[in-house]
C-alpha cells in the first residue's frame, strides 16, 4: 500500500534522478519553467482582474438580483428552480462566486431541496466560460473568440436545460 503523502516527494526525486541520468541541468530547466510560468501569469492578470471585478460589481450593485428577477420566468420554463437562478447566472463568470451562491441556496432552501441539488449539479458539471475563455484565449494571444464563446454558451444552456429535466422535483 502506497502512502499518498509520499507521492509528491517521490515524483520530485524521480524527476531529479531522471534528469541527472539524461544529463539535463535540472535546476536550470526548473528556473526556465518558473520564468515562463510567471510570464504567462503576467499575460493573464488583466483578464483575471476584469472577470473578478465584473463579478464583484454584479453582486455588489444589485444588478445580479435584478437579472435574477427578470430571468426567473424564462429559466423557470427550462426547469431552473427560482432559488438557483443566481448560480446559473454566476457560473459562466466565476467559480468562486458560483460556489458562494450555492452555499446561499443550501442555507436558504436546505441541502435536500431541488434548488440546492440543481445548484450543486450546475456548479459541479459546468465550466466558468468567460473566466477560462479569457484566460486561455488571452494566453494564446487570440484577438477574437470567434465561434468559441457562442458555442460554449450554447453548450452551457443545453446543460442547464438538461439539469432542469434530470434533477427531479
Amino acid at each position: 500500500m502506497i502512502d499518498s503523502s509520499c507521492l509528491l516527494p517521490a515524483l520530485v526525486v524521480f524527476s531529479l534522478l531522471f534528469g541527472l541520468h539524461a544529463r539535463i541541468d535540472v535546476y536550470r530547466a526548473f528556473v526556465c519553467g518558473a520564468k515562463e510560468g510567471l510570464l504567462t501569469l503576467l499575460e493573464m492578470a488583466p483578464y483575471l482582474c476584469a472577470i473578478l471585478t465584473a463579478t464583484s460589481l454584479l453582486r455588489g450593485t444589485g444588478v445580479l438580483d435584478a437579472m435574477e428577477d427578470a430571468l426567473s420566468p424564462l429559466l423557470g420554463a427550462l426547469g431552473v428552480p427560482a432559488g438557483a437562478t443566481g448560480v446559473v447566472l454566476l457560473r459562466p463568470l466565476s467559480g468562486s462566486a458560483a460556489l458562494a451562491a450555492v452555499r446561499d441556496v443550501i442555507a436558504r432552501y436546505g441541502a435536500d431541496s431541488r434548488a440546492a441539488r440543481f445548484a450543486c449539479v450546475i456548479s459541479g458539471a459546468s465550466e466558468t466560460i468567460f473566466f477560462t475563455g479569457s484566460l486561455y484565449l488571452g494566453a494564446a494571444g487570440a484577438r477574437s473568440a470567434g465561434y468559441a464563446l457562442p458555442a460554449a454558451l450554447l453548450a452551457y444552456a443545453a446543460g442547464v436545460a438538461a439539469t432542469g429535466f434530470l434533477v427531479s422535483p
Side-chain angles (χ1 to χ4, degrees):
M1 186 95 178
I2 297 175
D3 184 13
S4 63
S5 63
C6 298
L7 198 57
L8 187 59
L11 182 63
V12 170
V13 169
F14 174 77
S15 298
L16 287 172
L17 292 175
F18 183 79
L20 291 172
H21 181 275
R23 301 197 187 277
I24 296 172
D25 185 355
V26 177
Y27 180 74
R28 182 176 170 91
F30 176 78
V31 170
C32 287
K35 182 180 175 183
E36 288 178 23
L38 287 174
L39 292 175
T40 302
L41 175 66
L42 288 175
E43 289 176 11
M44 293 186 311
Y47 302 100
L48 280 167
C49 290
I51 292 296
L52 294 175
T53 301
T55 303
S56 189
L57 286 173
L58 282 175
R59 287 189 69 129
T61 60
V63 171
L64 182 66
D65 294 332
M67 288 173 63
E68 284 182 42
D69 292 341
L71 294 175
S72 280
L74 172 67
L75 292 175
L78 292 175
V80 177
T85 306
V87 177
V88 171
L89 296 175
L90 285 172
R91 184 62 182 161
L93 293 172
S94 168
S96 58
L99 284 177
V102 169
R103 185 192 64 226
D104 294 344
V105 169
I106 291 171
R108 184 171 180 188
Y109 297 100
D112 289 332
S113 67
R114 182 170 188 270
R117 290 192 319 267
F118 184 95
C120 289
V121 169
I122 286 297
S123 182
S126 61
E127 184 55 80
T128 52
I129 296 166
F130 292 102
F131 184 77
T132 56
S134 64
L135 287 179
Y136 292 142
L137 294 171
R143 289 186 177 20
S144 171
Y147 294 110
L149 184 60
L153 289 172
L154 183 62
Y156 180 69
V160 169
T163 304
F165 178 73
L166 294 173
V167 174
S168 61

